[in-house]
Amino acid sequence: MNAFDGRTQGWGMDTFEYDVVIVGAGTAGCYAGATISKAGYDVVIVERKDAEEAGHIACGDALKGADTFPETIPKADIAGSFTNTAVDHGRFEIPQEGTVMEIPVPGELAVIDRWEFGRLLIDGATQAGVDFHYDTVVQDVTQDAAGRVTGVTAKRKGKSRTYEAPLTLDGAGALSILQDKIDFDGSTFDTNVRYSQFSSAYREVIEVPEPVEWSDALVIKPTKRSAGYLWYFPRTPTEINVGLGFQMNEEPMALVSDLREDISQRPELQGATVTDKLGAALPTRRPYDSATAPGYMAIGDAAAHVNPISGGGISGAAYAGQYAGEQAIAALEDENVSEEILWRYNQRVMDHYGGRYAALDVYNIFSTAYGLDELLGLLSALPAEQLSEALYSGSSSVSLGTKLRVLYQAFGHWGTLRELYGTKQLADRLLAHYERYPSTPDGFDAWQAERNSIMDDIYGATGAEAKY
Ligand SMILES: Cc1cc2nc3c(=O)[nH]c(=O)nc-3n(C[C@H](O)[C@H](O)[C@H](O)COP(=O)(O)OP(=O)(O)OC[C@H]3O[C@@H](n4cnc5c(N)ncnc54)[C@H](O)[C@@H]3O)c2cc1C
């Protein structure tokens, strides 16, 4: 049913009926909408920004793995936003150690014009048949007596409106308002969510008069405290995305002035002009244990589908959108939107990247227990190939020879090194447990209890403060 067919008047409030209402025209919302719409169902994406501003998202603009993105919105349709496909490694600058590490990035990587990318995703979803309602701020949800989510209420230009649908998908990004409003009692949805599990980040796009030498690298360096990093990602040799972020359990950083200070110290960036500025929160935690409730699925940042070490969340959002979209189709065909039907969505996320991200978060937890100098000293002594493997797979099989080399080079960091290997073993144990994520909600409590006991061991071994 389209917007006009479905509109009813009552008490001055417009009501729209759809098969699926999606909140947020970001990556997750667009992939989900396109998937469901292509199967012939009526989908609306409700977006608070106007049509011009939609797709303008705070981001470092590094797109990892575009070659393997879901085909719902074909790569050919988004490739027009890829402004730099020459990047093949990370350049880790560690001024405290006087070291620069060159670490290869596996798979395809592009730096993109993120706003253009956002617009192209919206075009892709529009071509698939999705309706977009812009300028519409979702403020609340509706639930029936049994607790099933039945839609949302919103405001457009001062006027209230309601969206009714068997299924609501929450693609509203980090710290989604919908999750403050839904009564999750009786569902499996993960409510163990706190600000301290998120990062606050800020970025600018700058233009420099002369091409930078490192236009084939993602430049990364630690902030003055351990839980943050600065980045310089070249959209082109003269247009750079620069930004920084910190974990919100740390003392807040002066993001803008810290960034300005760093830029001013780089000779190659002298004379830069700022063309865009944006800031936002992003989840740097494990994915939500369950992102479903009756009639509802959270996708992308709204369910923490982000690599908690790199902060990369575009590909997780794209896949979450596709998996939730496919599960929505199954539920609509069955006329059953219970968690039992939606559950497979959780399972596919955990199988694909959820377990890996949870394992990577163990290294975040490890890092909060050590001083910056200790960590950087250790980092600069580790071999680049192994770090790359660990960073992207959540684990790494360190051969004996490499181990010895690491031990030799890390002389002076013996204690931290031993703890790191202990942590790696625990991270591997956690990864193996995520491979046993239950196939139905029935096994969820037992799975969660065992996972919590592994986390207790991790906190015990690292001495870190409990994060969850
Ligand atoms: C500074 C920064 C740098 C980053 N760098 C990278 C990077 O280099 N590479 C990478 O892969 N990832 C990066 N990320 C993460 C990445 O941007 C996100 O993971 C990704 O955008 C998530 O997509 P999403 O669709 O889930 O949410 P979003 O892209 O956040 O989209 C959410 C949408 O919902 C809308 N919305 C929110 N609330 C409402 C409401 N109440 N009513 C209506 N609409 C609403 C918003 O306006 C927005 O359009 C970065 C994040 C930040 C903050």
Side-chain angles (χ1 to χ4, degrees):
M1 191 175 291
N2 72 32
F4 294 101
D5 293 336
R7 186 185 298 196
T8 55
Q9 302 290 326
W11 305 104
M13 191 189 281
D14 287 342
T15 299
F16 299 83
E17 290 176 18
Y18 278 89
D19 294 317
V20 180
V21 56
I22 300 175
V23 184
T27 305
C30 287
Y31 274 94
T35 305
I36 303 164
S37 199
K38 280 184 174 176
Y41 290 100
D42 292 319
V43 183
V44 64
I45 294 186
V46 183
E47 168 58 49
R48 66 182 169 191
K49 294 176 183 164
D50 64 25
E52 170 66 20
E53 185 69 13
H56 191 199
I57 304 281
C59 189
D61 301 346
L63 183 66
K64 175 92 180 60
D67 49 334
T68 57
F69 264 36
E71 267 301 303
T72 324
I73 299 175
K75 185 186 163 194
D77 292 357
I78 51 175
S81 63
F82 299 4
T83 52
N84 184 356
T85 51
V87 171
D88 60 4
H89 67 286
R91 183 186 150 90
F92 286 76
E93 299 179 351
I94 311 181
Q96 291 89 333
E97 294 285 318
T99 306
V100 173
M101 300 174 73
E102 309 268 341
I103 300 183
V105 177
E108 190 178 295
L109 190 138
V111 185
I112 59 176
D113 176 334
R114 185 68 173 79
W115 200 348
E116 180 61 12
F117 176 76
R119 286 192 197 108
L120 292 173
L121 290 182
I122 290 171
D123 286 351
T126 305
Q127 277 164 28
V130 175
D131 287 346
F132 281 82
H133 289 189
Y134 296 108
D135 285 311
T136 310
V137 184
V138 170
Q139 297 185 313
D140 208 343
V141 297
T142 50
Q143 285 180 273
D144 68 13
R148 180 177 70 86
V149 175
T150 55
V152 297
T153 60
K155 269 228 158 116
R156 183 168 194 276
K157 300 194 169 160
K159 207 160 174 247
S160 299
R161 47 171 58 193
T162 299
Y163 292 86
E164 290 177 356
L167 267 170
T168 299
L169 266 53
D170 180 357
L175 302 165
S176 159
I177 189 176
L178 276 75
Q179 292 164 25
D180 292 339
K181 301 290 181 182
I182 297 173
D183 178 355
F184 284 113
D185 265 7
S187 82
T188 59
F189 193 83
D190 191 342
T191 53
N192 184 8
V193 179
R194 284 177 259 143
Y195 275 93
S196 55
Q197 301 156 353
F198 289 73
S199 287
S200 177
Y202 169 75
R203 74 96 175 99
E204 295 180 352
V205 178
I206 60 172
E207 276 176 13
V208 289
E210 297 295 329
V212 295
E213 274 175 14
W214 34 262
S215 59
D216 59 349
L218 299 180
V219 177
I220 292 165
K221 66 187 274 194
T223 52
K224 288 174 195 151
R225 278 197 314 271
S226 61
Y229 73 85
L230 280 141
W231 69 83
Y232 292 88
F233 294 171
R235 278 185 173 189
T236 71
T238 55
E239 188 186 28
I240 320 292
N241 179 314
V242 300
L244 76 175
F246 67 96
Q247 188 81 20
M248 285 202 249
N249 61 351
E250 298 271 320
E251 183 110 346
M253 272 169 54
L255 289 172
V256 179
S257 56
D258 283 12
L259 185 65
R260 294 254 70 82
E261 188 188 328
D262 207 77
I263 292 174
S264 71
Q265 287 167 4
R266 298 186 81 98
E268 75 275 29
L269 302 183
Q270 297 312 304
T273 50
V274 178
T275 58
D276 193 25
K277 310 171 175 190
L278 274 180
L282 77 157
T284 34
R285 48 157 287 154
R286 66 188 179 208
Y288 288 12
D289 288 354
S290 162
T292 59
Y296 171 87
M297 288 180 271
I299 52 180
D301 277 16
H305 294 150
V306 176
N307 178 323
I309 299 251
S310 70
I314 300 174
S315 86
Y319 276 104
Q322 188 200 349
Y323 296 156
E326 288 172 0
Q327 221 43 46
I329 295 165
L332 291 168
E333 277 168 8
D334 243 43
E335 295 185 13
N336 177 353
V337 295
S338 68
E339 281 203 277
E340 283 70 21
I341 295 286
L342 303 182
W343 191 259
R344 181 146 170 70
Y345 161 61
N346 283 328
Q347 232 191 323
R348 290 180 78 187
V349 166
M350 293 309 185
D351 277 358
H352 183 170
Y353 52 83
R356 192 158 48 90
Y357 289 176
L360 282 170
D361 191 43
V362 174
Y363 296 97
N364 274 347
I365 291 168
F366 170 84
S367 75
T368 62
Y370 290 87
L372 179 61
D373 288 346
E374 186 66 15
L375 282 176
L376 293 179
L378 179 61
L379 183 68
S380 62
L382 291 173
E385 295 286 343
Q386 300 295 329
L387 270 182
S388 170
E389 199 185 326
L391 192 60
Y392 294 102
S393 72
S395 180
S396 93
S397 49
V398 183
S399 69
L400 183 62
T402 312
K403 250 186 199 168
L404 291 174
R405 195 174 126 217
V406 170
L407 283 169
Y408 175 72
Q409 292 183 346
F411 185 73
H413 302 281
W414 292 101
T416 321
L417 189 69
R418 199 176 45 244
E419 302 294 333
L420 180 62
Y421 277 108
T423 305
K424 178 186 151 11
Q425 275 162 3
L426 287 164
D428 287 350
R429 205 173 121 206
L430 192 68
L431 189 60
H433 184 61
Y434 272 78
E435 280 161 13
R436 295 189 289 273
Y437 189 82
S439 54
T440 65
D442 288 345
F444 184 59
D445 285 348
W447 177 86
Q448 229 177 5
E450 172 61 18
R451 195 278 318 278
N452 290 346
S453 116
I454 299 173
M455 292 307 298
D456 286 344
D457 290 347
I458 289 167
Y459 297 129
T462 57
E465 202 178 311
K467 183 172 176 180
Y468 300 101

